[in-house]
């Protein structure tokens, strides 16, 4: 099969977010922590990232899907390009997460996520193998003992070793309270681990000399439920206290999942200690705090899920845009009966334009959402220990906490919709493999499932972040941000229709949350999960509308300046994105409010009622 790169990236949009829509980034970049990272350095590194994605990652995207992964005599065989590709990736990019370098500044999280969008979009399966290196290094830095940091942090930060998150078990699925993996404490303070984990992404390979598993299990003093869980550090090959790598630690792969997409990623069924002793370190030498420790890693994983989704969806859109601008077919609708009318490229057909604008606005809005979240993360990276910035840091941390489930769930759902539209835009050609878009759709679908299903994200949003509709502190932080944008928008009279619709939909969101609060007061808690996914989507829509309006104001200002950083066409495109989404997509907020407010709209049924629905199937 001939290899070619399908991946396309939009560096212009990255630059717009960094230097125009979010001017606060310049303040962050001026901090001594990033003193060796100039504007020019960032532009260069993003260009390097695009080149690497185009020349190295993208060309093996389809072939690795065709080859998949195989389990042969207990060893996982990866697509044949991966060993060489890993060496190249580790050589060019493996040191980016290392804060201990003297020769260069670390990259701000906002820039790091833009790089990862390109890498994950160009070859998502491959990127799973190093995907947890940075989050796990952060986890160790926050919770690991001095010894654990010494043994593992540098190796993971420099991608010399890789790491895996091992939570799921066959009998437990998303319910971690049913986890059975257990560790028994030894005289030297280490643990012997026994258990199994299921559907572990990139769970076994030989790309690096060692893999470090972060395993959720139970210690000797642990009971049942979620409060008795601990985090164990389990190297594939044991690491002694002096740093020497020892013998095989009996982490074994017994099966690989046969799945719809992400075929180059080995989703493994692992056993720990089944055929010999499996030694483990207890994270921070503390039992029963595993879920609290894992929260750091899980939040990063959920943000990364949104980045994976955006990277692929953006490329699907850009491929559909290119195809529609070159595919000659049909006449303009108003000239349908004119025998002399010229045929036109399909981009001139109204419904194709509708699909392209929906894709464009959602891609740009979702990218702005991740940029806004990582802007706060970048701010925290320099001021978190500054007592004079405590209130602002609380604000930024709160916004990050609130937006993380939205980034994970909303973006992964919208990415699936974008790929559907990209296929439809290209017609029959979009359904065929040679355009590359169908693989994006297959790979994207799992993102609404892994790292906590999107329904779980909606529960987290409403219960833990929005205080069950009771005007939570996090929601007040969010309101301050949206209110500030709407106030500034009064200086842009041309955007008045957009401001009015966003204001209305914003009110609809607030009314939905008030309705949730009423259910709590009236002890109708069962109604909340019925509508939690709808409310998460509504909050996602309002958030995208807010950020697209913010971008439209930046674009409007730029159009009046003589020294524009981009062409007028680019800025007008930003206005088209905001106008389309806010006036065509955002009005569904009224529908959501109507459903949530309707007492008869609840679709929950008792188990005996479900017997009526399944009777025909079982009969």
């Amino acid at each position: 099969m001939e290899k070619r790169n399908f991946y396309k990236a939009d560096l212009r949009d990255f630059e717009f977010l960094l230097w125009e829509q979010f001017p606060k980034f310049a303040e962050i970049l001026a901090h001594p922590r990033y003193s060796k990272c100039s504007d020019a350095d960032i532009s260069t590194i993003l260009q390097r990232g695009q080149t690497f994605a185009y020349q190295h990652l993208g060309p093996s995207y389809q072939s690795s899907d065709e080859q998949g992964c195989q389990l042969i005599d207990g060893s996982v065989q990866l697509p044949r390009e991966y060993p060489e590709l890993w060496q190249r990736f580790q050589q060019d990019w493996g040191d980016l997460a290392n804060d201990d370098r003297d020769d260069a500044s670390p990259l701000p999280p906002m820039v790091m996520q833009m790089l990862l969008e390109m890498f994950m979009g160009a070859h998502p399966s491959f990127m799973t193998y190093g995907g947890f290196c940075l989050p796990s290094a952060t986890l160790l830095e926050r919770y690991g003992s001095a010894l654990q940091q010494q043994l593992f942090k540098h190796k993971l930060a420099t991608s010399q070793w890789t790491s895996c998150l091992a939570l799921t078990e066959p009998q437990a699925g998303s319910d971690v309270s049913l986890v059975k993996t257990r560790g028994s404490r030894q005289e030297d303070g280490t643990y012997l681990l026994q258990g199994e984990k299921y559907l572990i992404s990139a769970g076994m390979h030989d790309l690096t000399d060692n893999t470090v598993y972060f395993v959720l299990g139970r210690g000797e003093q642990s009971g049942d439920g979620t409060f008795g869980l601990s985090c164990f550090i389990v190297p594939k090959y044991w690491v002694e206290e002096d740093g020497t790598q020892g013998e095989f630690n009996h982490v074994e792969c017994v099966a690989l999942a046969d799945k719809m997409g992400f075929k180059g990623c080995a989703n493994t069924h692992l056993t720990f200690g089944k055929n010999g002793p499996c030694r483990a370190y207890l994270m921070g030498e503390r039992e029963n705090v595993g879920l609290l420790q894992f929260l750091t890693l899980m939040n990063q994983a959920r943000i990364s899920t949104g980045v994976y989704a955006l990277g692929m969806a953006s490329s699907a859109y850009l491929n559909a845009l290119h195809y529609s601008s070159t595919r000659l077919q049909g006449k303009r609708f108003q000239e349908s009966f004119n025998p002399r009318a010229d045929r036109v490229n399909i981009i001139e057909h109204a419904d194709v334009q509708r699909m392209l604008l929906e894709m464009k606005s959602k891609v740009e809005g979702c990218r702005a959402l991740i940029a806004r979240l990582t802007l706060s993360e970048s701010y925290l990276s320099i001021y978190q220990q500054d007592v004079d910035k405590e209130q602002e840091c609380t604000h930024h941390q709160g916004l990050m906490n609130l937006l993380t489930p939205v980034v994970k769930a909303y973006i992964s759902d919208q990415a699936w919709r974008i790929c559907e539209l990209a296929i439809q835009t290209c017609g029959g050609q979009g359904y065929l493999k040679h355009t590359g878009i169908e693989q994006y759709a297959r790979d994207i679908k799992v993102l609404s499932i892994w790292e906590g299903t999107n329904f779980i994200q909606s529960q987290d949003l409403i219960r833990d972040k929005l205080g069950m509709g009771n005007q939570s502190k996090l929601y007040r932080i969010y309101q301050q941000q949206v209110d500030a944008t709407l106030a500034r928008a009064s200086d842009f009279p041309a955007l008045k229709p957009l401001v009015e619709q966003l204001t209305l939909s914003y009110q609809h969101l607030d009314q939905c949350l008030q309705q949730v609060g009423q259910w709590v007061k009236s002890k109708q808690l069962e109604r909340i999960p019925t509508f939690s996914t709808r409310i998460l989507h509504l909050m996602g829509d309002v958030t995208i509308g807010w950020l697209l309006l913010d971008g439209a104001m930046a674009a409007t200002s730029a159009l009046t300046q003589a020294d524009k950083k981009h062409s007028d066409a680019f800025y007008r495109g930003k206005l088209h994105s905001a106008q389309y989404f806010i006036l065509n997509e955002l009005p569904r907020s009224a529908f959501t409010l109507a459903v949530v407010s309707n007492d008869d709209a609840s679709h929950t049924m008792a188990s005996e009622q479900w017997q009526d629905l399944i009777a025909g199937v079982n009969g």
Side-chain angles (χ1 to χ4, degrees):
M1 164 177 197
E2 180 186 356
K3 293 183 184 178
R4 64 187 182 94
N5 172 57
F6 292 97
Y7 179 69
K8 298 181 186 296
D10 189 352
L11 291 184
R12 292 190 303 167
D13 204 34
F14 292 157
E15 293 171 358
F16 176 77
L17 293 169
L18 289 170
W19 312 121
E20 298 179 81
Q21 182 166 350
F22 298 118
K24 195 174 187 66
F25 179 70
E27 174 193 331
I28 293 168
L29 204 61
H31 190 272
R33 175 178 172 81
Y34 301 119
S35 60
K36 298 179 182 178
C37 191
S38 67
D39 298 9
D41 291 333
I42 288 175
S43 295
T44 299
I45 205 166
L46 289 175
Q47 290 168 1
R48 278 184 53 216
Q50 182 190 50
T51 299
F52 190 86
Y54 282 15
Q55 295 182 358
H56 299 287
L57 294 171
S60 61
Y61 179 52
Q62 270 199 327
S63 59
S64 67
D65 180 72
E66 295 284 343
Q67 295 169 49
C69 301
Q70 307 294 326
L71 182 62
I72 301 174
D73 297 328
S75 177
V76 177
Q77 180 177 307
L78 303 182
R80 55 181 170 267
E81 300 95 341
Y82 279 16
E84 181 180 350
L85 185 57
W86 177 263
Q87 291 300 318
R88 185 62 184 260
F89 183 83
Q90 206 278 336
Q91 173 187 328
D92 288 1
W93 301 100
D95 205 33
L96 279 175
N98 181 17
D99 285 356
D100 300 326
R101 296 179 302 166
D102 295 326
D103 61 325
S105 295
L107 285 177
M110 192 173 176
V111 179
M112 180 70 80
Q113 295 294 0
M114 291 176 177
L115 268 180
L116 290 176
E117 179 193 323
M118 290 189 283
F119 296 160
M120 291 171 170
H123 201 333
S125 287
F126 174 79
M127 288 301 297
T128 60
Y129 292 91
F132 277 115
C133 287
L134 175 57
S136 58
T138 302
L139 180 69
L140 282 163
E141 183 175 14
R142 182 169 298 184
Y143 297 113
S145 68
L147 174 63
Q148 292 162 3
Q149 292 186 39
Q150 178 184 333
L151 294 180
F152 302 112
K153 181 175 177 290
H154 180 76
K155 292 286 191 181
L156 294 174
T158 56
S159 299
Q160 295 177 60
W161 295 347
T162 54
S163 63
C164 279
L165 175 62
L167 274 72
T168 306
E169 296 182 6
Q171 80 287 347
S174 297
D175 188 354
V176 295
S177 69
L178 299 178
V179 163
K180 293 182 179 179
T181 297
R182 186 171 291 273
S184 56
R185 195 175 191 277
Q186 307 300 295
E187 290 185 2
D188 63 357
T190 63
Y191 284 70
L192 287 182
L193 203 67
Q194 284 197 319
E196 59 182 322
K197 295 293 178 178
Y198 182 60
L199 295 177
I200 306 304
S201 298
M204 188 68 69
H205 60 83
D206 293 321
L207 295 175
T208 54
D209 293 336
N210 210 348
T211 298
V212 183
Y213 299 88
F214 292 82
V215 182
L216 193 67
R218 301 186 187 278
E220 288 193 326
Q221 307 302 318
S222 301
D224 297 328
T226 58
F227 296 105
L229 294 168
S230 301
C231 175
F232 295 95
I233 305 170
V234 185
K236 179 180 176 183
Y237 295 94
W238 184 248
V239 182
E240 302 290 352
E241 290 191 6
D242 63 1
T244 58
Q245 186 166 305
E247 59 187 10
F248 176 62
N249 201 23
H250 295 285
V251 181
E252 298 171 272
C253 179
V254 296
L256 294 180
D258 187 9
K259 54 195 190 300
M260 172 179 172
F262 266 84
K263 293 180 179 291
C265 169
N267 282 90
T268 56
H269 188 160
L270 303 175
T271 61
F272 298 85
K274 181 178 181 181
N275 296 309
C278 179
R279 301 174 68 189
Y281 290 101
L282 177 68
M283 173 72 79
E285 301 176 353
R286 294 182 61 195
E287 289 192 9
N288 303 325
V289 291
L291 278 186
L292 174 64
Q293 294 170 338
F294 264 109
L295 185 61
T296 298
L297 201 154
M298 287 302 301
N299 283 339
Q300 286 295 323
R302 287 165 178 171
I303 294 169
S304 292
T305 297
V307 178
Y308 269 113
L310 173 61
M312 288 184 275
S314 174
S315 185
Y317 156 64
L318 292 172
N319 275 280
L321 178 64
H322 173 75
Y323 179 85
S324 61
S325 65
T326 57
R327 173 64 169 171
L328 195 67
Q329 186 174 351
K331 306 172 185 177
R332 296 181 183 86
F333 179 80
Q334 61 270 31
E335 297 180 327
S336 299
F337 301 107
N338 180 358
R340 298 185 181 86
D342 294 332
R343 291 186 303 152
V344 296
N345 289 322
I346 63 172
I347 198 170
E348 296 196 42
H349 297 315
D351 198 54
V352 170
Q353 292 178 356
R354 173 190 64 82
M355 292 188 287
L356 290 171
L357 280 168
E358 182 176 340
M359 288 187 280
K360 173 180 166 62
S361 63
K362 288 181 174 178
V363 164
E364 293 177 2
C366 289
R367 183 175 291 124
L369 170 54
I370 291 174
R372 183 60 192 82
L373 185 148
T374 53
L375 177 69
S376 286
E377 186 180 358
S378 300
Y379 188 91
L380 290 169
S381 72
I382 58 176
Y383 290 128
Q384 200 156 28
Q385 306 304 321
D386 188 337
V387 294
D388 295 331
K389 300 282 188 179
E390 184 176 354
Q391 184 174 355
E392 289 180 69
C393 286
T394 299
H395 178 103
H396 284 285
Q397 186 63 64
L399 195 64
M400 281 189 65
N401 292 344
L402 178 66
L403 292 179
T404 293
V406 180
V407 164
K408 193 279 180 187
Y410 182 83
I411 295 181
S412 60
D413 280 341
Q414 295 308 317
W416 172 251
R417 168 65 175 165
I418 288 165
C419 276
E420 174 202 342
L421 290 170
I423 292 171
Q424 188 69 26
T425 298
C426 298
Q429 298 303 309
Y431 193 67
L432 303 179
K433 285 190 174 183
H434 72 85
T435 64
I437 298 174
E438 61 85 30
Q439 188 180 341
Y440 288 134
R442 288 189 288 108
D443 285 354
I444 278 173
K445 189 65 201 90
V446 74
L447 301 178
S448 63
I449 300 169
W450 75 6
E451 311 303 356
T453 66
N454 285 358
F455 172 63
I456 291 174
Q457 304 306 311
S458 72
Q459 289 181 301
D460 174 47
L461 177 68
I462 292 177
R463 181 186 59 219
D464 301 328
K465 305 302 193 297
L466 295 173
M468 306 281 268
N470 189 29
Q471 286 293 305
S472 72
K473 292 180 180 178
L474 300 188
Y475 187 60
R476 287 197 292 272
I477 291 172
Y478 177 85
Q479 288 177 308
Q480 291 170 15
Q481 291 287 308
V482 179
D483 289 343
T485 298
L486 289 171
R488 285 194 301 113
S490 62
D491 295 332
F492 296 85
L495 300 178
K496 184 178 179 182
L498 310 190
V499 173
E500 291 175 344
Q501 179 59 57
L502 177 58
T503 301
L504 180 60
S505 295
Y506 181 31
Q507 292 170 354
H508 292 161
L509 171 62
D510 195 56
Q511 289 172 277
C512 283
L513 295 179
Q514 291 177 31
Q515 181 65 71
V516 172
Q518 289 298 319
W519 292 333
V520 173
K521 290 178 182 177
S522 60
K523 299 184 175 167
Q524 294 180 286
L525 295 181
E526 72 281 357
R527 295 183 70 86
I528 295 176
T530 303
F531 299 105
S532 60
T533 295
R534 292 184 189 273
I535 294 173
L536 183 146
H537 284 163
L538 173 55
M539 187 165 188
D541 283 345
V542 170
T543 303
I544 296 304
W546 154 44
L547 293 169
L548 287 174
L549 176 63
D550 188 57
M553 289 190 286
T556 301
S557 297
L559 284 168
T560 66
Q561 298 171 2
D563 56 340
K564 302 179 183 68
K565 294 189 177 182
H566 299 300
S567 68
D568 284 2
F570 174 82
Y571 294 117
R572 289 195 298 268
K574 282 290 177 185
L575 297 178
H576 287 310
S577 293
Q579 182 177 21
Y580 179 86
F581 186 86
I582 293 174
L583 300 184
N584 288 269
E585 297 291 318
L586 202 49
R588 64 171 162 255
S589 63
F591 167 78
T592 300
L593 177 60
V595 172
V596 170
S597 303
N598 187 345
D599 288 341
D600 295 325
S602 177
H603 58 265
T604 56
M605 288 187 244
S607 57
E608 58 270 18
Q609 292 175 295
W610 273 105
Q611 294 303 315
D612 297 336
L613 299 181
I614 65 178
V617 177
N618 291 339

